[in-house]
Amino acid sequence: MKGHRRRLAVYILFVSVLTFVSIFTGTQAEAEQGEGETVYIIPIEREVERGLEAFINRATTEAMESGADHIIFEIDTPGGRVDSAGQIGSHIQSLTVPTTAYIVNEALSAGSYIALFSDYIYFNPHATMGASGIINQDGTAADEKAQSAWLAQMRSAAESNGRDPIYAAAMADSSIDLPEYGAPEGQFLTLGPREAVEVGYAEGIVSNRAELLEELGLSEATVVETETSIAEELARFLTHPVVIPILLSVASIGLIVELYSPGFGVPGSLGLLSLLLFFYGHVVAGLAGMEALLLLLIGIGLIVAEFFVTGGILGVLGIAAVIGSLFMSGYDMMHMSMSIGVAFLITVIIAVILFRRIGLDKGIFRHIVLRDSTATEEGYVSSVNRLELVGLEGISLTPLRPSGLVELNNETIDVVSDGSFVDKGKKVKVIRVEGVRVVVREMK
């Protein structure tokens, strides 16, 4: 009986220990899978530009304020602006929570630079990373100074997380010879998933987000997806380098055409709408502040005042203020100069065409251009034309040397002789009338 009780006690103790161990290990496994943690997914898609920069700043700030434990950047971008990539990279580097770059499709050029600032990098099986040579907007290679600075930035980005900088440099410098990775001298390095893992530029290859979370031990974590708002999407579109000159051109053309249109109609509305969209996009993207908008309003006010004040100074100041507000809103002085130049050239061409076809007879010009004339046909005369005097005869009341007075039909007329001296009391005849000039000749 006692032996039976002893065996039962040992069995109960064994079961209790086993249950405790199971509970402990289960809890530990759940903790390892990220239960109770929060993961923020932030997409980095399409071109890298200031609109994307503003979105990344907003999304990461929200994630940090909400207590995110991990941030995953899902990258699919062909690259874009170097300055925007630099700002995004610096912002990612400043985050105090672990970050992962998941290259969904491609992280080329500026996209590869951004990815290097993440603590971990994972590749989709068909993803690529690299080809980071810096080029100008016209497709030509940047100057040596810009290339040298970009190369240094790529190296620094790789070193920031302990990665070998030679591969980042090879992405931006075609003179580096890495034939074993498909980048002999003269070609930029582009890494596929296998090569990236081999050189330490990727921690692994995963087919989807679920696999990625499993690899990171976050499969049980709460996942929060961050998406761009409608305003941010619109701002990204409106601040695109191709869209900016189009907006400025439409704005200037619309306002020029409106000058030739009666009242205020569609052309002027389109012009103002384009101008408002330009500033709206740049305000949302964080490029334009209140000072730029204030300068714009001052410029418009001065231009309007020019229609009521003579001199032209207010108009010049107004145009300068508007152009200044555009430069204050732009992220690149060179690109903004080109955009304004394109808009100005198109505006001049349209203005010349309208002037030749319409002149100044319509639109606002009809109110500010003087058309009234004092033509004789309208009944306006500067003096009386005495054509009826031609052929009349009279007597000189004074000597004509050659001008003097003559009596014609009991009327004293101021006349001139046809060149010869005529003494007082001589008989004369009107031979012609030239405006107010009555010419007489002495009758012999």
Side-chain angles (χ1 to χ4, degrees):
M1 187 71 176
K2 292 181 178 179
H4 178 70
R5 290 178 178 177
R6 186 179 295 111
R7 286 194 297 272
L8 180 60
V10 171
Y11 176 77
I12 292 174
L13 178 62
F14 174 78
V15 172
S16 299
V17 171
L18 183 62
T19 302
F20 175 79
V21 171
S22 299
I23 294 174
F24 175 78
T25 55
T27 302
Q28 185 179 27
E30 289 177 351
E32 289 177 351
Q33 292 304 311
E35 184 176 358
E37 295 186 316
T38 303
V39 178
Y40 270 73
I41 308 294
I42 300 177
I44 299 179
E45 300 173 331
R46 302 194 302 276
E47 288 193 22
V48 177
E49 31 71 34
R50 293 303 295 269
L52 176 63
E53 178 188 336
F55 164 66
I56 297 298
N57 290 342
R58 192 266 298 175
T60 52
T61 300
E62 287 184 1
M64 297 299 294
E65 291 177 349
S66 301
D69 299 293
H70 201 111
I71 297 178
I72 297 176
F73 298 101
E74 292 187 341
I75 302 178
D76 183 9
T77 173
R81 296 193 58 83
V82 171
D83 53 357
S84 295
Q87 294 294 329
I88 294 173
S90 298
H91 188 73
I92 293 176
Q93 192 176 29
S94 68
L95 297 176
T96 56
V97 299
T99 57
T100 296
Y102 177 36
I103 303 177
V104 178
N105 184 32
E106 59 182 9
L108 304 181
S109 189
S112 63
Y113 175 79
I114 294 173
L116 289 173
F117 281 100
S118 297
D119 300 318
Y120 312 102
I121 299 178
Y122 283 85
F123 272 62
N124 188 280
H126 61 267
T128 56
M129 171 184 180
S132 305
I134 181 172
I135 59 174
N136 297 318
Q137 292 181 349
D138 57 4
T140 60
D143 56 44
E144 293 184 4
K145 182 179 179 180
Q147 291 186 33
S148 176
W150 177 239
L151 181 60
Q153 287 180 261
M154 288 292 292
R155 287 180 176 273
S156 177
E159 292 172 342
S160 66
N161 284 299
R163 300 183 178 97
D164 190 342
I166 185 62
Y167 302 106
M171 293 177 184
D173 185 359
S174 61
S175 66
I176 297 177
D177 188 23
L178 292 174
E180 64 273 26
Y181 296 109
E185 185 174 354
Q187 295 185 17
F188 295 112
L189 174 64
T190 299
L191 294 175
R194 181 183 61 79
E195 294 87 351
V197 172
E198 183 178 332
V199 301
Y201 272 44
E203 276 62 45
I205 304 171
V206 293
S207 299
N208 49 54
R209 186 188 296 173
E211 288 187 17
L212 174 62
L213 293 172
E214 184 74 29
E215 285 287 328
L216 295 173
L218 298 170
S219 58
E220 299 297 324
T222 300
V223 176
V224 179
E225 293 191 51
T226 305
E227 298 180 352
T228 54
S229 64
I230 296 177
E232 288 169 335
E233 284 290 339
L234 184 58
R236 291 192 65 180
F237 172 75
L238 295 176
T239 56
H240 193 281
V242 176
V243 176
I244 290 175
I246 295 176
L247 283 176
L248 295 181
S249 298
V250 172
S252 57
I253 291 173
L255 295 177
I256 284 293
V257 173
E258 186 60 40
L259 294 178
Y260 289 87
S261 303
F264 192 85
V266 175
S269 300
L270 287 176
L272 287 179
L273 178 61
S274 298
L275 199 60
L276 290 175
L277 287 175
F278 171 87
F279 280 96
Y280 172 80
H282 284 72
V283 168
V284 173
L287 298 172
M290 293 304 298
E291 62 279 1
L293 295 178
L294 179 60
L295 188 60
L296 172 68
L297 294 177
I298 292 175
I300 294 175
L302 290 173
I303 293 173
V304 172
E306 176 61 31
F307 291 113
F308 305 97
V309 180
T310 59
I313 297 178
L314 294 182
V316 173
L317 292 177
I319 293 174
V322 172
I323 294 176
S325 67
L326 295 177
F327 277 111
M328 290 176 64
S329 304
Y331 54 78
D332 187 300
M333 293 288 287
M334 183 63 68
H335 180 265
M336 186 55 65
S337 299
M338 182 191 70
S339 300
I340 293 175
V342 170
F344 177 77
L345 180 61
I346 294 176
T347 302
V348 170
I349 294 174
I350 296 297
V352 171
I353 293 174
L354 290 174
F355 178 76
R356 289 188 173 182
R357 288 182 173 271
I358 302 176
L360 302 178
D361 297 326
K362 293 185 178 181
I364 194 171
F365 294 111
R366 72 183 190 276
H367 300 297
I368 60 177
V369 176
L370 180 63
R371 294 184 187 81
D372 293 335
S373 62
T374 55
T376 303
E377 293 78 5
E378 300 290 336
Y380 296 96
V381 291
S382 59
S383 60
V384 179
N385 197 339
R386 304 295 301 273
L387 295 176
E388 75 278 4
L389 299 178
V390 177
L392 293 182
E393 297 178 358
I395 301 296
S396 60
L397 300 176
T398 63
L400 306 182
R401 298 189 180 92
S403 62
L405 299 177
V406 170
E407 182 181 353
L408 295 172
N409 287 345
N410 299 319
E411 180 182 357
T412 301
I413 304 296
D414 191 4
V415 301
V416 296
S417 70
D418 62 349
S420 60
F421 172 77
V422 178
D423 201 357
K424 177 181 177 182
K426 298 296 183 179
K427 192 175 182 179
V428 295
K429 182 179 181 179
V430 179
I431 59 175
R432 63 179 180 275
V433 175
E434 300 171 344
V436 297
R437 189 168 179 261
V438 180
V439 183
V440 299
R441 177 180 298 167
E442 183 181 359
M443 298 182 64
K444 301 294 185 179

